[in-house]
Amino acid sequence: MKVSNVKFHNVQQGTPEWHALRDSVDFTASEVSAALGCSPYKTRDQLMHEKATGIKPEVSSYQEKIFADGHRFEEFARAILENRLGEELYPTTITGECGGLTLLASLDGLTMDGVLAFEHKSPNSKVVAAIHAEKLDDHYNYQMEQQLLLSGAASCKFVASDGTEDNWNELDYKPNKALINKMLAGLKQFKDDLEEYKTKLANGEVSQQSKPEVVAEVIQDLPAISYKMNGLAINSNLDEYKSKALELVEQSKKKLETDQDFANAESMVKVFKSAEDKLGLMSQQVLGEVESIDKFVKDLGFIGENIRQARLALDKQVKSRKEEIKTELVMMAKGEIQGLIADACQKFNVTFNITADFAGAIKGKRNIESMRSAISEELANAKIALSEQKDIVQTNLDHVKQHQEYKFLFNDWSVIAFKPADDFQTLVKLRISEHKEAEEKRLEQERERIRQEEADKAKLEAEEKAKREANEKAMREAAIETNNVLHEATKAESKPVQEVVQQSTTQPSRLDQARQVMHQAETAPVASFERAERSDEMISLSEKEYNELMSKANLLEALYAAGVDNWDGYSEAMAMVSAA
């Protein structure tokens, strides 16, 4: 965890300068456990009120003596530890900033190289047992975490002693990353809640006075009933008593909200019970003296019944209203944390699993304020847990956004969102690497397919080109042959008849040669096909059949180009074609 603006202050603990420095920061190391709701000396609500108002409880003479003994034990213990370590320890006060919080820690000692911190406590059975079990309460752990965070020390020597080696108990404490993250999250939540609390104070929504121990208000007792017999008549102060009693009955109908209300109600129940007893005795006394005085007795009975009903109702309200308030407090806290969870789920598109046992938190609490305080601490812990989970999810989400082009690889976001940052980053790296490898393999296969298709296409084109060249060569050779025949035929026409006759006895005539060429063209094999019954019907030819047909057509065109229609045997040849 990065800490900035660290400063070492040369101030002595307990001086006005030291107190002023403590008031200038967000949290001191000794306040952390109260802010996180685990201090045995101060509740979270009490610390909230102190920081909001600046009003702190006065230190009693008994507490001052305890503090003085603690400082004396600390001085002796530091000397003992220096002797054991063989180096000096100097007390110091350090401030620094971390995660938007200004923090302060007063160390009982720090080695000159800053490697080892020293924290001393007066001994008691609980802390001594914890040291020997090597498991301190978080009340102490949080204090040392802040000391180590600001000092940069590698460990803290935690000692509980009375300044003597005979009663010496020590433990080496090392930083706990998970605990310090929880501490910082809790302090941030407290700071947010403090701002809200200050706003409520300014708006008059909460009392600005610190809340003393609740003591029932003095309930003015009903006046004593006096009467005097005057013959058959009775003179008394019953009307005054009746008015006072009914007024008290009306007061008992007030809805109970605060611990003060409950204390007053319980006191009023006692007044009513006493009045009931007195009225009962008074009725019997008057009846014993004057049986005929009906009105007086009826009034006594009426007043007594009203008081009894008021007592019963008030006693019932005390019990039922406490249950109602418990339910209200629990449901309000549940509603608040559920609302925060719902907002977080919607924002990050994941399901946050936060547990808070508000009913368990108030179990055994005897008054409303202690219930409110316990629920406040449980709610704060739930908010802290939610904040920690949100930080994890936000960190992972930011990492995914750095690789936005691969967002499709994380469609299981709701499953992996809560992984620790290191594990999540490793998962992202692995998935992207595997995707790139698979994509490269796919592209290589695609390139290979294209290369193969191009090779096959080139081979086919080469074969087709070879066929065309062979056909063209055959056509050229046929044309040359035809021209040679025509040339020879022309030369033959200019020779003497006897030479022609003589030649005819030795070789075929030019006309016979032309007939032979035509015969070759006519007799060349051509794939047979059926004629379509209609002239507009299509026929199908194989490529070989098509090439043969085109070869003969080219041969015929070559013959015409060479003037075959001027040959002396042309008419005869055409007749032969028509006959065929």
Side-chain angles (χ1 to χ4, degrees), residues 148-409:
L148 294 173
L149 178 67
L150 293 177
S151 67
S155 64
C156 180
K157 183 74 72 173
F158 183 84
V159 176
S161 78
D162 59 2
T164 68
E165 295 193 10
D166 293 334
N167 190 6
W168 183 274
N169 307 276
E170 69 173 54
L171 173 71
D172 287 325
Y173 182 85
K174 296 186 181 300
N176 183 319
K177 185 177 180 181
L179 196 63
I180 196 169
N181 287 338
K182 183 177 181 179
M183 179 188 79
L184 292 173
L187 295 180
K188 288 178 184 178
Q189 185 63 54
F190 186 96
K191 188 175 181 180
D192 292 341
D193 293 345
L194 179 60
E195 292 304 314
E196 183 179 348
Y197 186 79
K198 287 179 178 178
T199 301
K200 290 181 178 180
L201 276 178
N203 295 336
E205 297 178 30
V206 293
S207 173
Q208 296 191 30
Q209 299 297 322
S210 58
K211 298 176 180 178
E213 183 180 352
V214 176
V215 178
E217 294 176 358
V218 177
I219 305 298
Q220 185 174 3
D221 205 351
L222 295 171
I225 300 177
S226 61
Y227 69 94
K228 183 177 181 181
M229 299 299 300
N230 185 11
L232 296 177
I234 185 170
N235 296 321
S236 72
N237 64 341
L238 191 59
D239 289 338
E240 178 188 357
Y241 183 93
K242 181 178 179 180
S243 175
K244 295 283 186 180
L246 294 181
E247 182 181 340
L248 201 58
V249 168
E250 287 302 314
Q251 291 180 19
S252 72
K253 296 177 182 179
K254 175 185 175 183
K255 189 176 182 180
L256 306 180
E257 298 287 351
T258 66
D259 284 334
Q260 187 66 59
D261 293 339
F262 281 100
N264 293 344
E266 289 168 353
S267 177
M268 195 177 293
V269 167
K270 294 177 182 178
V271 171
F272 285 156
K273 185 66 173 67
S274 174
E276 283 183 67
D277 295 339
K278 290 179 181 178
L279 288 171
L281 291 173
M282 181 68 69
S283 296
Q284 294 176 8
Q285 182 179 347
V286 172
L287 286 174
E289 294 184 16
V290 185
E291 296 183 2
S292 61
I293 305 179
D294 185 59
K295 181 178 180 302
F296 188 86
V297 174
K298 287 182 178 179
D299 279 346
L300 289 176
F302 172 77
I303 297 169
E305 180 61 21
N306 272 270
I307 288 177
R308 188 181 76 85
Q309 293 294 339
R311 174 181 63 80
L312 294 175
L314 190 58
D315 194 36
K316 183 178 180 180
Q317 186 185 175
V318 167
K319 296 175 182 178
S320 63
R321 183 55 185 154
K322 275 190 177 180
E323 291 303 317
E324 288 178 7
I325 291 176
K326 282 183 182 180
T327 303
E328 290 171 2
L329 292 174
V330 168
M331 295 309 295
M332 284 178 61
K334 281 185 176 179
E336 183 174 350
I337 192 62
Q338 287 171 358
L340 294 173
I341 292 172
D343 291 343
C345 291
Q346 183 177 9
K347 178 180 178 180
F348 293 101
N349 194 29
V350 294
T351 300
F352 288 87
N353 184 21
I354 304 298
T355 58
D357 185 8
F358 297 110
I362 62 175
K363 188 175 182 180
K365 304 299 180 184
R366 307 183 71 175
N367 57 61
I368 303 303
E369 286 307 316
S370 63
M371 292 180 196
R372 286 198 175 99
S373 180
I375 284 183
S376 176
E377 291 178 2
E378 186 72 8
L379 180 60
N381 289 333
K383 289 179 179 179
I384 292 167
L386 177 61
S387 178
E388 289 175 334
Q389 290 190 17
K390 285 166 62 178
D391 289 344
I392 292 172
V393 174
Q394 184 66 63
T395 299
N396 292 341
L397 182 60
D398 291 342
H399 191 68
V400 170
K401 288 180 178 179
Q402 293 175 10
H403 305 278
Q404 191 69 24
E405 66 274 24
Y406 298 106
K407 187 178 179 180
F408 60 90
L409 296 176

Side-chain angles (χ1 to χ4, degrees), residues 492-560:
E493 291 176 0
S494 62
K495 289 182 179 180
V497 175
Q498 52 269 50
E499 183 179 349
V500 172
V501 173
Q502 184 180 1
Q503 186 178 15
S504 63
T505 61
T506 60
Q507 62 181 13
S509 66
R510 300 294 182 224
L511 181 58
D512 290 337
Q513 291 177 358
R515 286 173 177 171
Q516 185 178 358
V517 171
M518 289 299 296
H519 179 69
Q520 290 176 352
E522 291 171 353
T523 60
V526 179
S528 62
F529 62 92
E530 296 181 0
R531 292 182 176 275
E533 295 180 1
R534 299 202 314 269
S535 60
D536 59 345
E537 289 188 358
M538 303 294 291
I539 63 172
S540 299
L541 295 175
S542 67
E543 185 178 356
K544 182 177 180 181
E545 292 169 342
Y546 172 77
N547 290 336
E548 290 176 349
L549 186 60
M550 291 301 297
S551 177
K552 289 179 172 54
N554 291 336
L555 177 61
L556 184 59
E557 287 181 2
L559 290 172
Y560 274 111

